Amino acid sequence: MASEGPRPLVAGNWKMNGSLTMLKEPRLLAAMLKDVRLKADVMVCPPAIILRRVKSVLKGTKIKVGGQDSHWNPSGAHTGDISPEMLKEAGCSAIIVGHSERRTNHGETDETIQKKAKGVQRAGLTAIICIGETLEERKAGKTLEVVSRQLKGSVPENSDAAHTVIAYEPVWAIGTGLTPTTAEVAEVHAHIRKELAAIMGAEGTATRILYGGSVKPSNAAELMSQPNVNGALVGGASLKAADFLGIIKVYT
Ligand code: 13P
């Protein structure tokens, strides 16, 4: 396990999954982690509608909760949107912004994502900013270029490590069972680290860089052991407590 660098974070992104019947999973996770000393922070990001219920199930545990997206404004005429301040009130300590599913399905640009990340930071929460190349871009040898452009475009000025997390999620690895090789992950994460130093100065060194895309118990140890990989953003495998625990256990 690469123990150097910032304290890792393992965050579960439930996406549009979960109902009240699923509350048993965080309850189970909390019970399974009760006496485990972890070298990482753990977070679950359920759909907003059940956030408060999940928060209440996790009361008294170290497991944090996060949101999956937010508007950049604190309030106003934005039908269907949720503000960072509202998510904070519901108990969130972080909010994911710029997930590739938002970029693709909702046409979000780096500019939109930067505004959203700024809003999250204004509320005093941590913005988990997602970046990553498509398969076409990787095949064309443009991965590092794309990642640089997304970082420069979406990380707000004056961001600090306490309020910023980068999640590198190659679009082609999300929900496909495919992952980059460990060498490819290490290459991109080293590049992100270098870019963060340019954008954030010294804070860039302390900023967590997560890997996301088909992380599961069977590949987590290898992926998480790469330099500059400071945890994981997990989709499918975060929905079942036993699978999520299998990933989290890398940090015991
Ligand atoms: P999967 O772990 O299901 O591939 O999803 C990754 C992801 O998009 C997390 O945000």
Side-chain angles (χ1 to χ4, degrees), residues 13 15 99 101 169 173-176 212-215 233-237:
N13 175 8
K15 307 190 180 183
H99 192 282
E101 287 147 19
E169 301 204 305
I174 296 175
T176 58
S214 297
V215 178
L233 184 55
V234 186

Side-chain angles (χ1 to χ4, degrees), residues 206-251:
T207 297
R208 294 182 276 197
I209 308 173
L210 314 185
Y211 168 77
S214 297
V215 178
K216 40 192 182 222
S218 58
N219 63 17
E222 207 183 353
L223 288 164
M224 297 304 109
S225 68
Q226 298 310 304
N228 293 303
V229 175
N230 315 118
L233 184 55
V234 186
S238 72
L239 298 173
K240 287 266 173 255
D243 293 340
F244 199 35
L245 183 74
I247 295 168
I248 295 165
K249 279 227 161 141
V250 165
Y251 292 108

Side-chain angles (χ1 to χ4, degrees), residues 151-166:
L151 282 172
K152 283 178 191 140
S154 52
V155 177
E157 247 179 80
N158 303 319
S159 288
D160 64 9
H163 300 96
T164 313
V165 169
I166 304 300

Side-chain angles (χ1 to χ4, degrees), residues 87-168:
L87 289 170
K88 183 181 188 179
E89 201 176 61
C92 289
S93 56
I95 304 173
I96 299 168
V97 292
H99 192 282
S100 76
E101 287 147 19
R102 302 286 320 173
R103 291 178 186 259
T104 308
N105 303 341
H106 298 267
E108 293 189 8
T109 62
D110 287 331
E111 200 187 349
T112 323
I113 293 154
Q114 188 183 107
K115 276 164 74 177
K116 290 188 169 195
K118 240 187 227 171
V120 174
Q121 294 173 342
R122 175 197 63 233
L125 306 185
T126 300
I128 303 177
I129 303 171
C130 302
I131 56 170
E133 83 286 1
T134 62
L135 189 56
E136 261 174 22
E137 289 163 338
R138 175 159 282 272
K139 281 186 179 158
K142 291 190 174 152
T143 299
L144 301 185
E145 183 189 322
V146 168
V147 160
S148 291
R149 189 183 66 231
Q150 291 176 330
L151 282 172
K152 283 178 191 140
S154 52
V155 177
E157 247 179 80
N158 303 319
S159 288
D160 64 9
H163 300 96
T164 313
V165 169
I166 304 300
Y168 169 57

